[in-house]
Each structure stands twice: as structure tokens, then as C-alpha cells.
Amino acid sequence: MKSIVLYSTRTGNTKKVAEAIASALPAGTPCVSVKEVPADIASYDCVFIGFWVDRGSADKDSQETMKQLHNKHVAVFATLGADPKSPHAAESLDKGAAFLPEGVQVAGKFICQGAVDPKLIEMMYKQFPAGHPHGKSPERDALHAEAAKHPDAADLEQAKQFAANVMAAIANA
Ligand SMILES: Cc1cc2nc3c(=O)[nH]c(=O)nc-3n(C[C@H](O)[C@H](O)[C@H](O)COP(=O)(O)O)c2cc1C
């Protein structure tokens, strides 16, 4: 079983999760940015593809890569600023995974929280008035403070478990 981990990242959160996933796969499993997808990507039996959530979907770079993944087994993971148990998280993960070609069955999905770029928070607080869902409020401050701690050791452990579960499900299929 030849596997590879691909990830898209702006500020490093999704890369950390990708590296945790790769560490749970056989030694030597490549872990590379979507900007360096190997030319022989079609020769991999299993691809883990990771994106950062951009306005409720997958970021642009990962969208382009996902569209090209016709591999037998594809598992999807992501990081986002919001609560990973929220409907927004589940919807963003599904919306992102929908960029895979038709007929590709998703072998597993995983999402966890990731620190939001402080520059983006500042921009949103300037752009949106208090009271707006993206404007400054105690709730938004609390959300960003929580996100700033992620991905943490527990998230990375869950990511490893996710990888192990995907591989076990494929082996038992
Ligand atoms: C332009 C932009 C749009 C974002 N949109 C969302 C969003 O819709 N929902 C969300 O929960 N987080 C959103 N985020 C937060 C990122 O998804 C989150 O911080 C992620 O962990 C960043 O991953 P990275 O460090 O791998 O780039 C957005 C961040 C940026 C910069």
C-alpha cells in the first residue's frame, strides 16, 4: 500500500496535522505541500489531503489538487478557526471534500481547530461592527483565544488515530 499525505497551509496549522498523520503511516510516507504534488500522484493507493477552511470551504490551492485525485482511497482532513464540533465545521469539511472527482469514495474525514492569523482577526474587527457575527465581541474574543491553542497535542493524537483508523478500514475492506 503506497500512501502519501498532501496539505495546503497558510500559517502552518494544517501542516502540523499533516505531519502527525504521516507519522502514523509507514515510515517513509511522503508528506508534501499541494504546491509540490509529485508527477506520479496517480500511482499512490491512498492519499490523505488536507486543507485550511477558507470561507466555509477548502482553500483554493487544495481545491485544485483535490480535483485531480482519482486514487483508489482518498481521506480528507482540515483545520478551521471555529469550533470543530459546530455545524459550520462539518459543512466546511463536506463542502471541501466535494471537490474530489465524482465517484471517488472518501475513506475518512477529520477536522480540528487551528489558530486564526492575528492579522485576519484585526482586519475583521476593523471591517465589521460590534454585534456583527465577525465583529469584536466577548464571544469572538473567546473563540479566537481558544483557537490560538490549536492544533494542540490532543488534536495531533486524534489525527494519528484518524490515520490509523483509515488504514485499518482500507485493510479490512
Ligand atoms: C481568508 C481566511 C478565511 C477563513 N475562513 C474561515 C472560515 O470560514 N471558518 C473558519 O472556521 N475559519 C476560517 N479561517 C481560519 C482558518 O481556517 C484556520 O485558522 C486554519 O487553521 C488555518 O490553517 P493554516 O495554518 O494551515 O493556514 C479563515 C482564515 C483565513 C485566512
Side-chain angles (χ1 to χ4, degrees):
M1 168 77 66
K2 205 175 150 192
S3 302
I4 186 168
V5 184
L6 304 175
Y7 62 85
S8 178
T9 193
R10 239 185 105 250
T11 57
N13 300 329
T14 315
K15 183 179 183 189
K16 280 187 202 159
V17 176
E19 286 170 347
I21 287 171
S23 78
L25 299 175
T29 299
C31 180
V32 295
S33 158
V34 291
K35 293 182 176 140
E36 291 157 17
V37 176
D40 66 345
I41 187 66
S43 71
Y44 287 84
D45 307 297
C46 180
V47 180
F48 286 82
I49 169 80
F51 61 84
W52 57 274
V53 171
D54 182 357
R55 287 158 291 171
S57 185
D59 69 274
K60 270 266 165 329
D61 291 339
S62 64
Q63 285 183 17
E64 292 313 309
T65 300
M66 278 192 280
K67 287 177 193 167
Q68 296 162 27
L69 298 179
H70 292 276
N71 307 72
K72 182 148 190 229
H73 306 289
V74 181
V76 180
F77 62 99
T79 69
L80 87 170
D83 179 349
K85 293 189 198 81
S86 63
H88 173 65
E91 283 159 19
S92 301
L93 193 48
D94 287 347
K95 217 168 159 189
F99 285 96
L100 290 168
E102 227 177 287
V104 170
Q105 296 232 340
V106 180
K109 285 185 201 161
F110 173 77
I111 192 160
C112 73
Q113 208 167 12
V116 181
D117 185 349
K119 286 191 217 101
L120 177 73
I121 300 173
E122 201 187 313
M123 207 184 76
M124 286 191 294
Y125 283 2
K126 271 193 191 143
Q127 187 177 346
F128 300 106
H132 183 280
H134 291 303
K136 188 171 169 61
S137 68
E139 292 75 23
R140 286 310 278 180
D141 284 345
L143 174 89
H144 294 314
E146 180 57 36
K149 300 178 204 157
H150 296 269
D152 62 12
D155 296 324
L156 300 181
E157 207 42 58
Q158 279 176 26
K160 287 186 202 176
Q161 196 54 57
F162 158 69
N165 292 346
V166 167
M167 296 316 272
I170 290 172
N172 294 331

